[in-house]
Amino acid sequence: MPAKWFEKYCQKHYSQDSDPTEDSEFELFYELSEFDQEVDSEKAWKNVCSKLNVQKKSWTAVWKVAAAVLLAGSLSLVTYQQLFTSDHQLTELKAPNRPTKFRLADGSDVVLARNSQLLVDEKEFMTSRQVTLKGKAFFDVAKNQGTFTVLTTNGTIEVLGTQFDVNSAPDELAVAVYEGLVKVSNNQNSAQLAEGEKAYLTASKLIKGKINSSNEEGWRTGDFNFDNEPLKKVIPLLEEYYNVDIQSSKALLECKVTASFSQEPLTDVIKTLATVLNAKSKKSGNKISFTGKGC
């Protein structure tokens, strides 16, 4: 068999233009060739073809693996987009240094206390009217738009249109209603509060009562009216509004305070208390101390 013909056939055999009929012709021609007896070309031919086929199969396997990896990567990307490119857009409202007022999309007003936060799903809010509160806030809910829901760690508040305070502490939920009706509930207890009522809700109990002080709203309004109030009850209210730390000698804690403040400067409040208590005061940064013999 001429060597050039053999090389030409091999090149064509492994090209994409190979014709199966030519294969059979070649085999017949080769069997009749004068080289059949001298060289075991069939054995050599099969040996070469087996190696070439293995190589072909190896590359085919490689491409299959590569395709699988690419497909897995594509699916992972789709999954990632589905999980993390969410339609839900949570907006976090914060009040870092002082009570801050926010207007929600439905027209409801929220005043967040210092270091409190409110989560609002911007896309779903107008349908669900649901928010999540951590800390303390006052809500003035727009009316005639369905139920408004506040979620907290210790319970849920549902209203139709009202004004109320919510204080969501780690172990307790406190709600005070100034207008309308409010439903407070968790897995164990439930109560409906009307105007002028308040409730304290924990994991195991619910205590309902009356709002007995106009100072409930002082944390956001700055208006306080103390009428024969013990100092130990005055201190936390002033601390919250003015963001200060007030210390007092034990002898003064039971002393009664009668005074009114309407967004007064802190220095004026300190002077007034010192006079009422007949005590000495000292201010250092955000720390204030009162010392005296008592009442």
Side-chain angles (χ1 to χ4, degrees), residues 6 10 14 41-55:
F6 186 85
C10 285
Y14 291 106
S41 299
E42 184 68 17
K43 183 177 181 181
W45 172 257
K46 290 181 179 180
N47 185 37
V48 172
C49 286
S50 65
K51 292 182 179 179
L52 290 173
N53 285 336
V54 169
Q55 187 177 17

PDB file of all heavy atoms in Angstrom, residues 6 10 14 41-55:
ATOM      1  N   PHE A   6      -2.052   6.016   2.369  1.00  0.00           N
ATOM      2  CA  PHE A   6      -2.369   5.678   3.759  1.00  0.00           C
ATOM      3  C   PHE A   6      -2.474   6.929   4.619  1.00  0.00           C
ATOM      4  O   PHE A   6      -3.413   7.090   5.405  1.00  0.00           O
ATOM      5  CB  PHE A   6      -1.290   4.727   4.298  1.00  0.00           C
ATOM      6  CG  PHE A   6      -1.609   4.215   5.687  1.00  0.00           C
ATOM      7  CD1 PHE A   6      -2.422   3.104   5.870  1.00  0.00           C
ATOM      8  CD2 PHE A   6      -1.094   4.854   6.813  1.00  0.00           C
ATOM      9  CE1 PHE A   6      -2.712   2.638   7.131  1.00  0.00           C
ATOM     10  CE2 PHE A   6      -1.387   4.371   8.075  1.00  0.00           C
ATOM     11  CZ  PHE A   6      -2.189   3.259   8.231  1.00  0.00           C
ATOM     12  N   CYS A  10      -5.834   8.446   6.484  1.00  0.00           N
ATOM     13  CA  CYS A  10      -5.885   8.699   7.926  1.00  0.00           C
ATOM     14  C   CYS A  10      -6.354  10.106   8.229  1.00  0.00           C
ATOM     15  O   CYS A  10      -7.148  10.337   9.139  1.00  0.00           O
ATOM     16  CB  CYS A  10      -4.512   8.454   8.556  1.00  0.00           C
ATOM     17  SG  CYS A  10      -4.138   6.698   8.695  1.00  0.00           S
ATOM     18  N   TYR A  14     -10.140  10.913  10.222  1.00  0.00           N
ATOM     19  CA  TYR A  14     -10.333  11.601  11.500  1.00  0.00           C
ATOM     20  C   TYR A  14     -10.870  13.013  11.346  1.00  0.00           C
ATOM     21  O   TYR A  14     -10.931  13.758  12.300  1.00  0.00           O
ATOM     22  CB  TYR A  14      -9.023  11.609  12.293  1.00  0.00           C
ATOM     23  CG  TYR A  14      -8.673  10.225  12.757  1.00  0.00           C
ATOM     24  CD1 TYR A  14      -7.659   9.528  12.140  1.00  0.00           C
ATOM     25  CD2 TYR A  14      -9.407   9.609  13.757  1.00  0.00           C
ATOM     26  CE1 TYR A  14      -7.364   8.233  12.522  1.00  0.00           C
ATOM     27  CE2 TYR A  14      -9.114   8.317  14.138  1.00  0.00           C
ATOM     28  CZ  TYR A  14      -8.105   7.628  13.533  1.00  0.00           C
ATOM     29  OH  TYR A  14      -7.830   6.350  13.908  1.00  0.00           O
ATOM     30  N   SER A  41      -0.545  -4.846   9.896  1.00  0.00           N
ATOM     31  CA  SER A  41      -1.063  -3.466   9.896  1.00  0.00           C
ATOM     32  C   SER A  41      -2.400  -3.360  10.611  1.00  0.00           C
ATOM     33  O   SER A  41      -2.745  -2.326  11.181  1.00  0.00           O
ATOM     34  CB  SER A  41      -1.206  -2.957   8.462  1.00  0.00           C
ATOM     35  OG  SER A  41       0.050  -2.946   7.836  1.00  0.00           O
ATOM     36  N   GLU A  42      -3.184  -4.467  10.524  1.00  0.00           N
ATOM     37  CA  GLU A  42      -4.496  -4.426  11.188  1.00  0.00           C
ATOM     38  C   GLU A  42      -4.333  -4.230  12.687  1.00  0.00           C
ATOM     39  O   GLU A  42      -5.050  -3.439  13.315  1.00  0.00           O
ATOM     40  CB  GLU A  42      -5.250  -5.740  10.916  1.00  0.00           C
ATOM     41  CG  GLU A  42      -6.665  -5.779  11.481  1.00  0.00           C
ATOM     42  CD  GLU A  42      -7.574  -4.805  10.761  1.00  0.00           C
ATOM     43  OE1 GLU A  42      -7.226  -4.353   9.653  1.00  0.00           O
ATOM     44  OE2 GLU A  42      -8.619  -4.485  11.318  1.00  0.00           O
ATOM     45  N   LYS A  43      -3.377  -4.955  13.244  1.00  0.00           N
ATOM     46  CA  LYS A  43      -3.109  -4.836  14.677  1.00  0.00           C
ATOM     47  C   LYS A  43      -2.605  -3.435  15.011  1.00  0.00           C
ATOM     48  O   LYS A  43      -3.041  -2.815  15.989  1.00  0.00           O
ATOM     49  CB  LYS A  43      -2.085  -5.880  15.090  1.00  0.00           C
ATOM     50  CG  LYS A  43      -1.786  -5.885  16.583  1.00  0.00           C
ATOM     51  CD  LYS A  43      -0.813  -6.990  16.932  1.00  0.00           C
ATOM     52  CE  LYS A  43      -0.525  -7.004  18.419  1.00  0.00           C
ATOM     53  NZ  LYS A  43       0.443  -8.074  18.776  1.00  0.00           N
ATOM     54  N   ALA A  44      -1.691  -2.955  14.138  1.00  0.00           N
ATOM     55  CA  ALA A  44      -1.167  -1.604  14.351  1.00  0.00           C
ATOM     56  C   ALA A  44      -2.257  -0.566  14.200  1.00  0.00           C
ATOM     57  O   ALA A  44      -2.347   0.406  14.947  1.00  0.00           O
ATOM     58  CB  ALA A  44      -0.029  -1.325  13.364  1.00  0.00           C
ATOM     59  N   TRP A  45      -3.115  -0.807  13.173  1.00  0.00           N
ATOM     60  CA  TRP A  45      -4.226   0.129  12.923  1.00  0.00           C
ATOM     61  C   TRP A  45      -5.167   0.208  14.120  1.00  0.00           C
ATOM     62  O   TRP A  45      -5.559   1.284  14.567  1.00  0.00           O
ATOM     63  CB  TRP A  45      -4.965  -0.350  11.672  1.00  0.00           C
ATOM     64  CG  TRP A  45      -6.246   0.398  11.399  1.00  0.00           C
ATOM     65  CD1 TRP A  45      -7.503  -0.019  11.627  1.00  0.00           C
ATOM     66  CD2 TRP A  45      -6.358   1.709  10.846  1.00  0.00           C
ATOM     67  NE1 TRP A  45      -8.406   0.909  11.262  1.00  0.00           N
ATOM     68  CE2 TRP A  45      -7.723   2.007  10.765  1.00  0.00           C
ATOM     69  CE3 TRP A  45      -5.422   2.643  10.386  1.00  0.00           C
ATOM     70  CZ2 TRP A  45      -8.180   3.196  10.240  1.00  0.00           C
ATOM     71  CZ3 TRP A  45      -5.897   3.835   9.862  1.00  0.00           C
ATOM     72  CH2 TRP A  45      -7.263   4.107   9.801  1.00  0.00           C
ATOM     73  N   LYS A  46      -5.551  -0.968  14.667  1.00  0.00           N
ATOM     74  CA  LYS A  46      -6.451  -0.997  15.826  1.00  0.00           C
ATOM     75  C   LYS A  46      -5.806  -0.339  17.046  1.00  0.00           C
ATOM     76  O   LYS A  46      -6.471   0.315  17.843  1.00  0.00           O
ATOM     77  CB  LYS A  46      -6.842  -2.429  16.145  1.00  0.00           C
ATOM     78  CG  LYS A  46      -7.765  -3.037  15.114  1.00  0.00           C
ATOM     79  CD  LYS A  46      -8.142  -4.464  15.506  1.00  0.00           C
ATOM     80  CE  LYS A  46      -9.095  -5.076  14.479  1.00  0.00           C
ATOM     81  NZ  LYS A  46      -9.476  -6.449  14.847  1.00  0.00           N
ATOM     82  N   ASN A  47      -4.513  -0.571  17.175  1.00  0.00           N
ATOM     83  CA  ASN A  47      -3.790   0.032  18.308  1.00  0.00           C
ATOM     84  C   ASN A  47      -3.826   1.542  18.239  1.00  0.00           C
ATOM     85  O   ASN A  47      -4.080   2.234  19.230  1.00  0.00           O
ATOM     86  CB  ASN A  47      -2.348  -0.480  18.313  1.00  0.00           C
ATOM     87  CG  ASN A  47      -1.579  -0.003  19.525  1.00  0.00           C
ATOM     88  OD1 ASN A  47      -2.151   0.090  20.608  1.00  0.00           O
ATOM     89  ND2 ASN A  47      -0.296   0.278  19.362  1.00  0.00           N
ATOM     90  N   VAL A  48      -3.563   2.041  17.005  1.00  0.00           N
ATOM     91  CA  VAL A  48      -3.605   3.511  16.819  1.00  0.00           C
ATOM     92  C   VAL A  48      -5.004   4.043  17.061  1.00  0.00           C
ATOM     93  O   VAL A  48      -5.222   5.031  17.752  1.00  0.00           O
ATOM     94  CB  VAL A  48      -3.108   3.885  15.400  1.00  0.00           C
ATOM     95  CG1 VAL A  48      -3.344   5.366  15.144  1.00  0.00           C
ATOM     96  CG2 VAL A  48      -1.645   3.538  15.247  1.00  0.00           C
ATOM     97  N   CYS A  49      -5.987   3.352  16.461  1.00  0.00           N
ATOM     98  CA  CYS A  49      -7.373   3.838  16.602  1.00  0.00           C
ATOM     99  C   CYS A  49      -7.851   3.829  18.042  1.00  0.00           C
ATOM    100  O   CYS A  49      -8.559   4.732  18.492  1.00  0.00           O
ATOM    101  CB  CYS A  49      -8.319   2.972  15.759  1.00  0.00           C
ATOM    102  SG  CYS A  49      -8.173   3.289  13.987  1.00  0.00           S
ATOM    103  N   SER A  50      -7.438   2.761  18.780  1.00  0.00           N
ATOM    104  CA  SER A  50      -7.854   2.683  20.186  1.00  0.00           C
ATOM    105  C   SER A  50      -7.315   3.847  20.980  1.00  0.00           C
ATOM    106  O   SER A  50      -7.991   4.408  21.836  1.00  0.00           O
ATOM    107  CB  SER A  50      -7.407   1.360  20.793  1.00  0.00           C
ATOM    108  OG  SER A  50      -5.990   1.298  20.832  1.00  0.00           O
ATOM    109  N   LYS A  51      -6.084   4.221  20.714  1.00  0.00           N
ATOM    110  CA  LYS A  51      -5.488   5.362  21.431  1.00  0.00           C
ATOM    111  C   LYS A  51      -6.167   6.666  21.062  1.00  0.00           C
ATOM    112  O   LYS A  51      -6.427   7.513  21.904  1.00  0.00           O
ATOM    113  CB  LYS A  51      -4.000   5.447  21.133  1.00  0.00           C
ATOM    114  CG  LYS A  51      -3.204   4.291  21.724  1.00  0.00           C
ATOM    115  CD  LYS A  51      -1.714   4.439  21.432  1.00  0.00           C
ATOM    116  CE  LYS A  51      -0.938   3.280  22.053  1.00  0.00           C
ATOM    117  NZ  LYS A  51       0.513   3.376  21.776  1.00  0.00           N
ATOM    118  N   LEU A  52      -6.455   6.772  19.717  1.00  0.00           N
ATOM    119  CA  LEU A  52      -7.116   7.995  19.279  1.00  0.00           C
ATOM    120  C   LEU A  52      -8.532   8.076  19.834  1.00  0.00           C
ATOM    121  O   LEU A  52      -9.007   9.139  20.225  1.00  0.00           O
ATOM    122  CB  LEU A  52      -7.146   8.047  17.754  1.00  0.00           C
ATOM    123  CG  LEU A  52      -5.787   8.260  17.084  1.00  0.00           C
ATOM    124  CD1 LEU A  52      -5.907   8.112  15.573  1.00  0.00           C
ATOM    125  CD2 LEU A  52      -5.220   9.618  17.439  1.00  0.00           C
ATOM    126  N   ASN A  53      -9.219   6.935  19.906  1.00  0.00           N
ATOM    127  CA  ASN A  53     -10.585   6.937  20.456  1.00  0.00           C
ATOM    128  C   ASN A  53     -10.592   7.281  21.927  1.00  0.00           C
ATOM    129  O   ASN A  53     -11.464   7.991  22.413  1.00  0.00           O
ATOM    130  CB  ASN A  53     -11.238   5.561  20.259  1.00  0.00           C
ATOM    131  CG  ASN A  53     -11.645   5.344  18.819  1.00  0.00           C
ATOM    132  OD1 ASN A  53     -11.863   6.307  18.094  1.00  0.00           O
ATOM    133  ND2 ASN A  53     -11.744   4.080  18.411  1.00  0.00           N
ATOM    134  N   VAL A  54      -9.599   6.744  22.669  1.00  0.00           N
ATOM    135  CA  VAL A  54      -9.495   7.074  24.090  1.00  0.00           C
ATOM    136  C   VAL A  54      -9.303   8.564  24.264  1.00  0.00           C
ATOM    137  O   VAL A  54      -9.909   9.205  25.124  1.00  0.00           O
ATOM    138  CB  VAL A  54      -8.335   6.295  24.736  1.00  0.00           C
ATOM    139  CG1 VAL A  54      -8.051   6.827  26.128  1.00  0.00           C
ATOM    140  CG2 VAL A  54      -8.669   4.824  24.781  1.00  0.00           C
ATOM    141  N   GLN A  55      -8.459   9.121  23.389  1.00  0.00           N
ATOM    142  CA  GLN A  55      -8.204  10.568  23.496  1.00  0.00           C
ATOM    143  C   GLN A  55      -9.473  11.348  23.215  1.00  0.00           C
ATOM    144  O   GLN A  55      -9.795  12.320  23.876  1.00  0.00           O
ATOM    145  CB  GLN A  55      -7.106  10.962  22.510  1.00  0.00           C
ATOM    146  CG  GLN A  55      -6.662  12.412  22.668  1.00  0.00           C
ATOM    147  CD  GLN A  55      -5.512  12.758  21.730  1.00  0.00           C
ATOM    148  OE1 GLN A  55      -5.255  12.045  20.769  1.00  0.00           O
ATOM    149  NE2 GLN A  55      -4.839  13.829  22.028  1.00  0.00           N
TER     150      GLN A  55
END
